């Protein structure tokens, strides 16, 4: 093989490799675009609908790793394996805020588990301080703190034509209770797991089914 043939072959291989990389990047861009549109259609942090600041730590900072139930995977995506579907987030998009809040308007709404624990501790201290200020005769009044919610999502699963999608939503609620002697204790964690199915109709994502798969 002469030198010119070597050069031509190298350029041909480079073109093939570059084409593969470009296609992969284009596919990831499409996934990101559709994920943003999907969650906004579902009502998560839509710029026109979520104008008031959300509570701090309202959303988990990272995606939850949970599969779509087997039955729903078969019904909407046609898989025949005895397993559910799970989607991997695109590279560089492990942070939920990049999909929910790409404009970066409410960064405080997203927290890691450690940050969430710190916030919960602060909430408890506020409730305990309020308890110390109460008259003992009024200690029974309003013995419960407000509910504090935290929501986790999985990255959505899409079909190959971006006409169907699904994700899992996990809602956790925490609350404290004041006993007659003034002691403040956390109540058991309440949570609900929901599988959400969406379809794109006339270019807009719409929810078609929502199934509660777990609740306490």
């Amino acid at each position: 093989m002469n030198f010119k043939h070597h050069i031509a072959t190298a350029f041909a291989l480079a073109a093939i490799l570059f084409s593969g990389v470009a296609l992969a990047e284009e596919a990831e861009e499409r996934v990101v675009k559709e994920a943003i549109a999907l969650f906004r259609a579902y009502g998560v942090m839509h710029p026109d609908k979520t104008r008031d600041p959300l509570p701090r730590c309202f959303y988990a900072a990272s995606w939850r790793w949970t599969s779509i139930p087997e039955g729903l995977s078969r019904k909407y995506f046609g898989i025949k394996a005895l397993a559910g579907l799970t989607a991997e987030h695109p590279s560089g998009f492990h942070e939920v805020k990049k999909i929910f809040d790409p404009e970066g308007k409410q960064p405080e709404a997203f927290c890691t588990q450690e940050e969430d624990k710190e916030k919960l501790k602060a909430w408890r201290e506020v409730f305990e301080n309020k308890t110390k200020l109460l008259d003992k005769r009024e200690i029974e009044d309003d013995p419960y703190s407000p509910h504090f919610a935290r929501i986790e999502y999985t990255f959505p699963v899409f079909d190959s034509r971006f006409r169907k999608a699904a994700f899992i939503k996990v809602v956790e609620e925490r609350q404290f209770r004041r006993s007659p002697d003034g002691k403040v204790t956390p109540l058991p964690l309440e949570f609900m797991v929901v599988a959400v199915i969406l379809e794109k109709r006339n270019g807009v994502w719409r929810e078609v089914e929502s199934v509660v798969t777990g609740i306490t």
Side-chain angles (χ1 to χ4, degrees), residues 7 81 111 150-151 159 172 177 186 190 197:
I7 294 298
C111 282
R150 181 173 186 267
I151 307 177
D159 69 348
E172 296 181 354
R177 182 183 184 280
E190 296 181 6
I197 309 297

Side-chain angles (χ1 to χ4, degrees), residues 42-203:
Y42 183 66
V44 176
M45 296 191 76
H46 194 292
D48 297 332
K49 299 177 182 179
T50 314
R51 297 179 180 179
D52 296 330
L54 291 169
R56 184 169 179 266
C57 299
F58 190 70
Y59 293 119
S62 301
W63 301 103
R64 190 181 182 94
W65 186 259
T66 304
S67 61
I68 307 301
E70 176 191 336
L72 294 174
S73 296
R74 286 202 309 269
K75 179 178 178 180
Y76 288 99
F77 297 91
I79 69 164
K80 297 180 180 179
L82 297 177
L85 292 169
T86 302
E88 179 65 71
H89 57 75
S91 57
F93 285 85
H94 68 280
E95 293 180 295
V96 176
K97 65 183 179 182
K98 290 186 176 182
I99 299 296
F100 285 8
D101 187 28
E103 298 86 3
K105 293 182 178 180
Q106 297 200 48
E108 293 294 314
F110 307 89
C111 282
T112 64
Q113 287 187 345
E114 289 304 315
E115 291 170 334
D116 181 67
K117 289 179 181 178
E118 292 175 3
K119 180 62 178 179
L120 193 62
K121 180 181 178 182
W123 285 334
R124 178 171 181 167
E125 289 176 353
V126 168
F127 194 56
E128 287 177 336
N129 290 336
K130 181 180 178 181
T131 299
K132 292 176 183 177
L133 295 176
L134 288 175
D135 187 288
K136 291 299 181 181
R137 293 168 297 179
E138 302 174 346
I139 203 70
E140 290 290 347
D141 292 345
D142 192 19
Y144 296 97
S145 73
H147 282 83
F148 304 111
R150 181 173 186 267
I151 307 177
E152 289 186 274
Y153 286 87
T154 64
F155 195 84
V157 172
F158 294 99
D159 69 348
S160 59
R161 298 175 61 195
F162 291 97
R163 291 292 181 269
K164 296 179 182 179
F167 61 80
I168 299 294
K169 174 183 179 181
V170 181
V171 181
E172 296 181 354
E173 288 196 347
R174 290 76 59 85
Q175 190 177 30
F176 298 105
R177 182 183 184 280
R178 180 191 304 115
S179 59
D181 62 1
K183 183 179 180 182
V184 173
T185 56
L187 293 177
L189 176 69
E190 296 181 6
F191 73 91
M192 181 172 63
V193 183
V194 183
V196 182
I197 309 297
L198 302 96
E199 291 183 355
K200 186 186 282 187
R201 300 173 183 172
N202 299 321

